[in-house]
């Protein structure tokens, strides 16, 4: 697994149109907090009890098609859950995994708030909220 800063991830996605951009956050995070434009939502954990999604790898396989060497760019809230998602995909045979460091919302600041230090939104990259 390789790691890219948000701007590097955006540039990689722009020059690699075959890449699949996966947002592995929960439904609530994806829909209510917002998400990167072009990302596809496949939660790694979800629900009130933060249950693991037993279909995560299968769902990504369905999106990726037969090509296990298709580049997969994975984003989450802070860049930690996406590492776990990337490791699961590597174990399933995917070979080109890219984790977005700092994720969509970024690291916590001294006031325990996200979005003020780093991350996809902090860097002003394209995002939307439904």
């Amino acid at each position: 697994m390789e790691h890219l800063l948000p701007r590097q991830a955006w540039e990689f996605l722009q020059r690699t149109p075959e890449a699949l951009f996966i947002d592995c956050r929960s439904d609530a995070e994806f829909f209510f907090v917002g998400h990167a434009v072009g990302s596809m939502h496949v939660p790694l954990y979800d629900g009130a009890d933060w249950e693991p999604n037993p279909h995560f790898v299968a769902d990504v396989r369905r999106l990726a098609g037969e090509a296990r060497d298709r580049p997969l760019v994975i984003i989450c809230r802070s860049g930690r859950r996406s590492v776990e998602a990337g490791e699961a995909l590597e174990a399933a045979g995917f070979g080109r995994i890219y984790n977005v460091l700092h994720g969509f919302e970024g690291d916590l600041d001294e006031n325990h708030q996200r979005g003020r230090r780093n991350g996809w939104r902090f860097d002003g990259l394209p995002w939307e909220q439904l």
Side-chain angles (χ1 to χ4, degrees):
M1 181 181 330
E2 294 186 43
H3 303 278
L4 303 171
L5 292 168
R7 287 184 196 275
Q8 292 172 319
W10 173 250
E11 291 165 4
F12 177 82
L13 289 163
Q14 297 309 296
R15 69 176 182 272
T16 315
E18 71 275 15
L20 188 62
F21 190 16
I22 302 291
D23 187 320
C24 68
R25 295 176 300 151
S26 69
D27 288 346
E29 291 170 300
F30 185 84
F31 292 110
F32 298 119
V33 176
H35 54 271
V37 170
S39 63
M40 300 177 139
H41 181 230
V42 183
L44 183 63
Y45 296 98
D46 209 4
D49 293 327
W50 209 245
E51 298 125 14
N53 175 4
H55 308 291
F56 176 75
V57 170
D59 290 346
V60 172
R61 273 192 185 129
R62 187 171 40 258
L63 291 171
E66 295 300 317
R68 295 296 173 257
D69 63 343
R70 185 174 184 182
L72 302 177
V73 177
I74 314 294
I75 193 169
C76 67
R77 179 181 65 185
S78 64
R80 290 182 196 88
R81 203 175 338 159
S82 51
V83 168
E84 185 178 348
E87 289 170 348
L89 294 166
E90 284 178 330
F94 287 94
R96 296 177 65 197
I97 310 291
Y98 301 87
N99 172 52
V100 180
L101 293 168
H102 311 299
F104 185 72
E105 295 181 61
D107 297 323
L108 291 170
D109 68 8
E110 61 279 352
N111 296 312
H112 302 285
Q113 296 175 335
R114 295 186 189 279
R116 297 175 185 248
R117 285 193 169 167
N118 50 32
W120 188 272
R121 285 193 321 186
F122 179 85
D123 284 350
L125 297 168
W127 67 282
E128 60 190 356
Q129 194 170 19
L130 302 178

